[in-house]
Amino acid sequence: MKKILAIALVALISLSFVFAQGGSETTTTVVSESGFNTSEVLTFVIPGSTGGGTDLAIRTMGEGLQRLFGLKINYQQMKNTIGHTTVMNAAPDGNTIMLATAALLTQYVTGNSEVNPLEDLTLVACLDDNGYSVLAVPVDAPYNTFAEFVEYAKANPGKINAGMPAAGSNTFLFGKLESVLGIELNHVECASESDRLTNIAGGFIDIGVVGLGNAQSYEKAGKLKVIGTVAGDGITIADSGVDLGDNYKTLQEQGYDDCYVLCMHYIYGPKGMNEEQVEKLNASFKTIIEDATVNEGLRKIGHIPLWHDLEESKKIQMEEYETTVETAKFLGLYAL
């Protein structure tokens, strides 16, 4: 009997030790005040193509993470939906994160992905604005300003060919403009920026969205006209840090207050992350964004470096999500 009691006592002590050490699956080991587990390799998922804006932004931030926090980083590049799913299914220990763009939202509300950004992931931080979407038109277009474009579009409903992906961020940008301005455009499949530049220069489409750098180059070569830019709420063209003409002013600056598009970059981790760790990670990304080298690097690729605490990040995320749903319904693309 004494032997049996002794064995039972040992088992009880051992079990108590396991619980004292945090046997729960949700326990996160954080060996740094930064929130990162510096003894592990950080997997930074890149849900986008090589050389694209997301890829360049992640590697710019990653350089800061390595330099400032001594992290070792494993970059994993994959298609959007695969990248989102990979992070969703990862362990919630803070060792796997990603930088996601509007594609995460648009793919979910259009039924092209099952990853719900509000429920299947942990929001760590809302960071830099994706920058300026330049509205470019052919050099011989019958409108030279955005105001003239709106007037022409209202007089010719459905006759302006707007080049865009079938269901991408530019599709939602034009959908927002159509909804707000009360105009109707003819959506023409033109997914890549290089295709849009070629078709604008050749006069095969009447308007398209291009990047700030390409817009300046093609404008200087006399291959297109710029009639405005679209950016986040309250952002001006002066925020780009580049001296540009009045034709590059944002639509809000041109008097169209509701013509803006939230297109932020968000840091996400898997669902179920430790709240204290998330707070620390959020603060660490503030350090990253405010670092001079990272800040300059993001501006060079056309982004606008920003940082928001968790409360503000969640508000911005929800506003962008609700706007995406509203635009998807307007475009007939809503699938939830």
Side-chain angles (χ1 to χ4, degrees):
M1 177 64 73
K2 289 182 179 180
K3 185 176 181 179
I4 293 174
L5 288 174
I7 292 173
L9 182 59
V10 170
L12 182 60
I13 293 172
S14 298
L15 187 60
S16 299
F17 179 77
V18 169
F19 282 112
Q21 292 300 307
S24 171
E25 292 181 0
T26 59
T27 298
T28 302
T29 301
V30 180
V31 297
S32 169
E33 282 302 308
S34 67
F36 293 105
N37 184 351
T38 54
S39 65
E40 299 288 339
V41 175
L42 175 68
T43 296
F44 210 151
V45 174
I46 305 174
S49 59
T50 302
T54 304
D55 178 28
L56 295 175
I58 286 176
R59 294 181 189 276
T60 300
M61 293 179 192
E63 182 278 328
L65 291 171
Q66 291 173 305
R67 174 167 44 82
L68 297 176
F69 298 122
L71 296 178
K72 295 179 180 178
I73 300 178
N74 171 32
Y75 296 103
Q76 287 193 359
Q77 194 142 21
M78 49 193 74
K79 292 183 178 179
N80 279 324
T81 52
I82 297 175
H84 302 155
T85 303
T86 297
V87 176
M88 179 182 71
N89 293 330
D93 54 13
N95 294 332
T96 302
I97 61 173
M98 71 174 171
L99 184 71
T101 64
L104 175 63
L105 305 180
T106 59
Q107 288 175 356
Y108 176 65
V109 302
T110 57
N112 292 312
S113 171
E114 295 183 354
V115 181
N116 184 336
L118 303 181
E119 298 181 2
D120 297 333
L121 300 165
T122 296
L123 177 63
V124 174
C126 173
L127 298 180
D128 60 317
D129 187 288
N130 201 37
Y132 302 89
S133 297
V134 180
L135 298 175
V137 302
V139 291
D140 60 352
Y143 31 81
N144 295 308
T145 66
F146 186 72
E148 292 177 358
F149 166 80
V150 173
E151 182 181 358
Y152 185 89
K154 288 182 175 180
N156 297 276
K159 294 183 179 180
I160 294 180
N161 295 321
M164 66 188 80
S169 58
N170 288 337
T171 312
F172 279 74
L173 182 153
F174 277 118
K176 174 74 178 289
L177 296 185
E178 288 179 275
S179 174
V180 169
L181 298 169
I183 60 176
E184 179 186 349
L185 303 174
N186 180 34
H187 295 200
V188 177
E189 175 75 26
C190 202
S192 71
E193 181 167 338
S194 60
D195 285 344
R196 290 193 293 275
L197 287 164
T198 300
N199 280 281
I200 292 169
F204 302 111
I205 59 175
D206 302 310
I207 189 170
V209 172
V210 300
L212 197 58
N214 280 329
Q216 294 173 78
S217 298
Y218 273 68
E219 183 186 42
K220 186 176 181 180
K223 295 181 178 181
L224 56 72
K225 293 187 294 191
V226 172
I227 59 173
T229 56
V230 183
D233 191 14
I235 292 174
T236 69
I237 195 62
D239 293 325
S240 68
V242 182
D243 187 17
L244 297 165
D246 288 345
N247 58 321
Y248 281 87
K249 285 185 175 180
T250 67
L251 301 190
Q252 283 189 320
E253 290 180 282
Q254 295 188 43
Y256 300 90
D257 293 342
D258 294 326
C259 289
Y260 67 89
V261 174
L262 287 177
C263 191
M264 311 299 288
H265 277 157
Y266 300 90
I267 296 291
Y268 286 100
K271 179 181 179 180
M273 289 177 62
N274 179 281
E275 291 183 7
E276 182 181 356
Q277 182 185 27
V278 174
E279 289 279 1
K280 290 180 178 180
L281 291 173
N282 177 273
S284 291
F285 273 100
K286 181 176 188 291
T287 301
I288 293 299
I289 291 297
E290 292 179 349
D291 175 73
T293 301
V294 173
N295 198 286
E296 181 182 0
L298 291 172
R299 290 187 182 280
K300 282 184 176 179
I301 60 176
H303 294 186
I304 303 168
L306 299 168
W307 170 86
H308 302 275
D309 62 27
L310 275 176
E311 183 179 358
E312 187 67 20
S313 293
K314 290 175 182 178
K315 288 181 180 178
I316 295 171
Q317 178 203 41
M318 183 57 67
E319 182 182 355
E320 185 170 351
Y321 177 81
E322 291 175 346
T323 300
T324 301
V325 168
E326 183 180 336
T327 305
K329 290 179 178 179
F330 174 81
L331 292 169
L333 298 174
Y334 187 68
L336 299 180

